[in-house]
Amino acid sequence: MNYLIETYGCQMNTAESASFLLVLKERGWVQARNKEDADLVLINTCSVRATAERRVRGRIAQYEALKRKRPFTLIIAGCMASRLGDTLKTDYKAVDYVMGTASRPLFPHILEALEGGIPFVEDTEKPAFSFAPFHLEDGRFCSFIPITHGCDNFCSYCVVPYVRGPEISRDPAAIFAEIRLVAEKGAREIMLLGQNVNSYYWDGGSVGKNLDFPRLLEAVAAEIEKTPIRWIRFLSSHPKDLSTRVIRVMADRPAFCRHLHLCAQHGSNAILRAMNRRYSREQYLELVDEIRGAMPDITFSTDMLIGFPGEMKEDHAQTLDLMERVRFLYAYMYHYNPREGTPAFEMPGRIGQGLKRKRLGEVIALQKQHTLELLQNRVGSRETVLVEGVSRRNAEELLTRTERDERVVVPGKRCMIGSFAELTLESLWGNTFRAKELSLCPGD
Ligand code: SF4
């Protein structure tokens, strides 16, 4: 039988889709060539922004039209499924199953029913949440390893705590087992994932007594030394929880890539307070200074949310100023859209669409300038890269990435894919470096 998975949203969803894939492959399902060919379509959805939900609704409507021509099973999974539940079935007759993030353990049972040609009848008792085992896709070398699920932070604009529920930390024994497994499958880099990885905490037994995030990082760094994995990243970091101990562990261990995604969201204290972010711009900037003091070559990326209710001209200027001070390598920049059910939805002082767009345009323009300047300053550097695959533009060239999260294209042989290599950043083309040649690192 054939399947098709569509994934929207964050890396967490990518990791969760990979775990669906693992279940499908283990049961002998094959990827469909296209949607006309699929017996099962699974849409793994995102609820963070209203636009993400609108896009998914558009896709469901398309599948609804297709289903009028031929039968297949449509499953809606992920955050939208958790948030809207069975109303999705009422809105779209084509939807067969709605599987929120907590009901993922039902997936093998749904497949079993499909394989037997019978409808799956859901038990009234919902299964308890469990972390799904991850599967490294063929041809991929960076493996996502979820370490927490859910969030307790309740930023005033965000639906995640309501959709994914309270934060749960994963058993370290399962984390280490998964690291060993993906290493066997060819992973060279891992990304520890969670809504706020810094608040990881496990107190469940001999492996993990009082295991907080810095101690977990030390243990993971020790674990990968027994494997071919060389690089570790983690995402996302909440600035209020990123401690000096985490910085020290990163600085002391070369396995931690010199790149950090540190969500700022805004540069004004008044707006950060209204967002319930629980840090000030001064604390954010001090944290960046502390991290740079320990790892001078590190790059930062961030999220910026523009046009939050009550945002004055002066607040917006503070965001631009914070960006000037930090100089992020790249940023995910959005304007605020009200999300029903969040405290911000009720806040006065909504900013008009035109002004939001104008301010967002200014933020994007400044970020583009910073990205370009930072990258131009790097031309001439000698770098270690992970060879990730073939360049999309030229089959004779390889696509590689530095530990600072910069893309480099270089001529090379396909047998080098999945290896670490050294090269010189010769020139810049858009936001991608070009190199003339690469040489494999010792042992690769
Ligand atoms: S930290 Fe804030 S923005 Fe991030 S998932 Fe939690 S509530 Fe949402």
Side-chain angles (χ1 to χ4, degrees):
M1 291 173 86
N2 296 338
Y3 68 87
L4 199 72
I5 299 181
E6 283 189 29
T7 306
Y8 296 83
C10 62
Q11 283 93 340
M12 206 73 177
N13 263 16
T14 308
E16 283 165 8
S17 284
S19 74
F20 290 131
L21 200 67
L22 176 64
V23 178
L24 285 159
K25 285 195 169 169
E26 278 177 354
R27 302 184 73 95
W29 287 63
V30 177
Q31 182 161 8
R33 284 190 306 272
N34 51 50
K35 62 181 191 306
E36 280 72 29
D37 191 32
D39 301 301
L40 165 69
V41 174
L42 186 150
I43 309 182
N44 196 5
T45 61
C46 170
S47 260
V48 161
R49 267 166 270 282
T51 43
E53 288 199 352
R54 273 200 294 277
R55 205 172 315 141
V56 168
R57 283 184 178 275
R59 287 303 283 165
I60 299 176
Q62 286 176 16
Y63 282 114
E64 195 148 63
L66 186 64
K67 213 165 172 177
R68 278 184 220 117
K69 295 184 197 153
R70 64 168 196 87
F72 63 93
T73 301
L74 181 60
I75 302 180
I76 309 300
C79 288
M80 225 172 131
S82 300
R83 197 174 90 78
L84 300 171
D86 280 349
T87 58
L88 283 168
K89 277 192 190 170
T90 319
D91 291 352
Y92 303 94
K93 296 282 168 277
V95 174
D96 296 289
Y97 302 108
V98 177
M99 194 171 60
T101 54
S103 340
R104 211 182 30 225
L106 296 179
F107 188 52
H109 304 293
I110 296 175
L111 292 183
E112 200 176 318
L114 288 181
E115 290 155 8
I118 51 168
F120 169 73
V121 183
E122 195 173 335
D123 213 306
T124 41
E125 204 163 306
K126 298 275 178 210
F129 172 80
S130 64
F131 285 90
F134 179 63
H135 170 69
L136 187 70
E137 277 178 62
D138 293 342
R140 296 280 309 270
F141 302 96
C142 175
S143 180
F144 296 140
I145 312 272
I147 63 165
T148 65
H149 178 93
C151 183
D152 295 333
N153 285 315
F154 292 93
C155 300
S156 64
Y157 51 85
C158 182
V159 292
V160 168
Y162 309 98
V163 170
R164 290 195 167 240
E167 185 181 282
I168 302 167
S169 292
R170 189 178 189 186
D171 185 336
I175 296 173
F176 301 143
E178 195 157 302
I179 290 172
R180 289 191 291 272
L181 185 76
V182 296
E184 273 170 33
K185 287 176 179 286
R188 306 302 313 271
E189 174 187 339
I190 52 169
M191 168 91 82
L192 306 176
L193 278 186
Q195 253 72 41
N196 177 19
V197 285
N198 299 94
S199 52
Y200 176 91
Y201 186 75
W202 185 266
D203 195 16
S206 55
V207 187
K209 206 112 188 78
N210 291 320
L211 195 74
D212 60 5
F213 189 54
R215 288 192 54 218
L216 176 74
L217 289 183
E218 280 176 348
V220 167
E223 190 66 39
I224 68 153
E225 280 173 13
K226 303 172 211 157
T227 74
I229 296 169
R230 279 230 221 145
W231 282 354
I232 309 170
R233 301 179 193 268
F234 51 85
L235 185 83
S236 269
S237 282
H238 195 302
K240 78 174 167 55
D241 294 318
L242 199 147
S243 66
T244 298
R245 283 175 54 224
V246 170
I247 299 169
R248 227 176 280 134
V249 173
M250 283 183 78
D252 289 348
R253 306 256 187 172
F256 290 99
C257 290
R258 294 312 190 227
H259 168 254
L260 195 62
H261 188 81
L262 194 59
C263 303
Q265 302 295 5
H266 211 276
S268 149
N269 282 336
I271 301 296
L272 288 171
R273 253 193 316 276
M275 287 178 165
N276 192 31
R277 291 291 292 173
R278 285 176 282 169
Y279 53 84
S280 64
R281 63 178 271 118
E282 291 76 18
Q283 284 166 331
Y284 185 91
L285 290 168
E286 274 168 26
L287 183 60
V288 167
D289 282 349
E290 186 183 352
I291 296 166
R292 283 212 168 112
M295 293 166 279
D297 53 344
I298 199 163
T299 56
F300 290 97
S301 55
T302 199
D303 292 353
M304 283 294 183
L305 186 53
I306 308 304
F308 193 75
E311 184 188 75
M312 309 296 277
K313 201 169 148 204
E314 301 72 36
D315 299 310
H316 177 57
Q318 293 274 286
T319 294
L320 297 173
D321 179 74
L322 183 123
M323 292 171 70
E324 274 302 350
R325 286 167 194 255
V326 179
R327 298 177 78 82
F328 299 101
L329 180 62
Y330 58 86
Y332 298 100
M333 298 158 283
Y334 313 94
H335 64 59
Y336 172 74
N337 272 325
R339 302 294 279 132
E340 215 170 341
T342 62
F345 189 79
E346 312 293 338
M347 285 181 188
R350 280 201 193 159
I351 310 293
Q353 204 67 10
L355 186 55
K356 276 196 290 191
R357 288 215 177 103
K358 178 178 169 290
R359 287 179 179 169
L360 179 62
E362 288 168 9
V363 166
I364 292 172
L366 184 62
Q367 183 53 52
K368 276 189 179 163
Q369 181 196 323
H370 289 165
T371 301
L372 189 64
E373 287 170 6
L374 287 171
L375 294 179
Q376 278 169 342
N377 283 339
R378 298 266 296 142
V379 172
S381 305
R382 189 86 185 143
E383 285 298 322
T384 299
V385 292
L386 174 57
V387 183
E388 293 186 329
V390 177
S391 159
R392 262 189 243 135
R393 288 170 183 268
N394 183 346
E396 305 295 308
E397 291 185 326
L398 300 173
L399 181 65
T400 75
R401 202 153 48 97
T402 71
E403 61 172 314
R404 294 160 50 112
D405 212 12
E406 302 148 319
R407 280 192 310 265
V408 192
V409 164
V410 59
K413 298 196 185 97
R414 286 179 184 228
C415 60
M416 292 172 159
I417 294 171
S419 303
F420 284 93
E422 286 198 352
L423 47 70
T424 303
L425 308 177
E426 302 279 353
S427 60
L428 193 59
W429 197 48
N431 287 343
T432 304
F433 289 106
R434 303 194 78 80
K436 288 192 182 130
E437 56 185 10
L438 80 172
S439 49
L440 291 183
C441 292
D444 264 78

